[in-house]
Amino acid sequence: MFKQLLFAAITTVPALAHAGAQLTEIETRWLKAAAPVLAYAQRLKLPIDIIVQPRARPSDVPLAMGFMDGRCKLVLSMRGNPDAEKLLDSVPQEQRGVLMEAMAAHEVGHCWRYAQGAWHALPTGFTETAAAPASGPAGESAALRDSRREEGFADMVALAWTQRFHADSYGPVYAWLAAVRAEQPAAGGAHDTRAWVSLAADGGVFKQAATPFDAAGVLWRAGLLSDD
């Protein structure tokens, strides 16, 4: 499976494929860590393509999920990116693999929502208290809220995945994620997922379910009740 990922990552970028270029050491390391998540997603038939950016732009994050033409695009923007592994600076070397795997699970959580046709949609039984305008400050606030909810779901997927497949590492992964989310520059921002992360200090809260996405959904719905 890992060799297939490497081939897919190279051939998805025509310039790289034409030049016969190889993935960098850091790209190979991240894809190797993500391989179990991507193999699982493949078994579920999630429509994921791997994109390797020939050079990162100033605003690019190292790993992200995008959507185009009904498919999910896992984008690696690590070439020329000085912050490619900044989030891992404080993490012991032996814990980085499982943490990168959790981050990949977070991104695949976004794809799962998209593939379900549920992107920015509330689950059954939830309704907005009032419709927000499409533009202006209120519209911007609503857009942040929608993004925050999706980030909350993806964080729960990362933790549910870790609890299911790496239960012994749940504590360090949770502590890292909680610290990252606690450092958000503004309350209520797109990545302020503390309403959800605070519910998951004990990995046992993720009950056995058909998939990590289903397990995450239980806590995500609970977090929606406390998210502002």
Side-chain angles (χ1 to χ4, degrees), residues 90-115:
S90 62
V91 179
Q93 193 67 38
E94 65 273 13
Q95 294 178 7
R96 293 187 179 186
V98 70
L99 193 55
M100 289 188 286
E101 186 175 331
M103 293 167 73
H106 171 106
E107 299 304 335
V108 171
H110 287 318
C111 181
W112 189 87
R113 285 275 293 167
Y114 178 78

Side-chain angles (χ1 to χ4, degrees), residues 59-84:
S59 60
D60 286 339
V61 296
L63 189 69
M65 185 66 73
F67 313 113
M68 181 181 294
D69 300 329
R71 296 189 62 82
C72 305
K73 308 292 183 179
L74 182 65
V75 182
L76 283 72
S77 300
M78 298 176 177
R79 301 186 183 204
N81 188 344
D83 296 327

Side-chain angles (χ1 to χ4, degrees), residues 123-135:
T124 302
F126 285 76
T127 58
E128 298 291 1
T129 55
S135 59

Side-chain angles (χ1 to χ4, degrees), residues 18-152:
H18 181 72
Q22 296 297 312
L23 295 175
T24 65
E25 184 274 334
I26 186 173
E27 289 162 351
T28 299
R29 186 151 33 87
W30 275 81
L31 282 172
K32 184 176 182 180
V37 183
L38 295 175
Y40 185 84
Q42 186 178 56
R43 291 196 295 273
L44 294 183
K45 301 188 184 304
L46 289 179
I48 300 179
D49 300 321
I50 301 171
I51 304 293
V52 177
Q53 295 275 49
R55 184 165 184 82
R57 298 165 299 186
S59 60
D60 286 339
V61 296
L63 189 69
M65 185 66 73
F67 313 113
M68 181 181 294
D69 300 329
R71 296 189 62 82
C72 305
K73 308 292 183 179
L74 182 65
V75 182
L76 283 72
S77 300
M78 298 176 177
R79 301 186 183 204
N81 188 344
D83 296 327
E85 291 192 303
K86 186 177 181 179
L87 284 175
L88 300 177
D89 285 349
S90 62
V91 179
Q93 193 67 38
E94 65 273 13
Q95 294 178 7
R96 293 187 179 186
V98 70
L99 193 55
M100 289 188 286
E101 186 175 331
M103 293 167 73
H106 171 106
E107 299 304 335
V108 171
H110 287 318
C111 181
W112 189 87
R113 285 275 293 167
Y114 178 78
Q116 296 292 310
W119 191 249
H120 286 178
L122 287 171
T124 302
F126 285 76
T127 58
E128 298 291 1
T129 55
S135 59
E140 292 173 5
S141 177
L144 285 175
R145 175 205 63 202
D146 290 345
S147 295
R148 183 170 66 251
R149 289 172 177 172
E150 295 299 341
E151 293 299 328

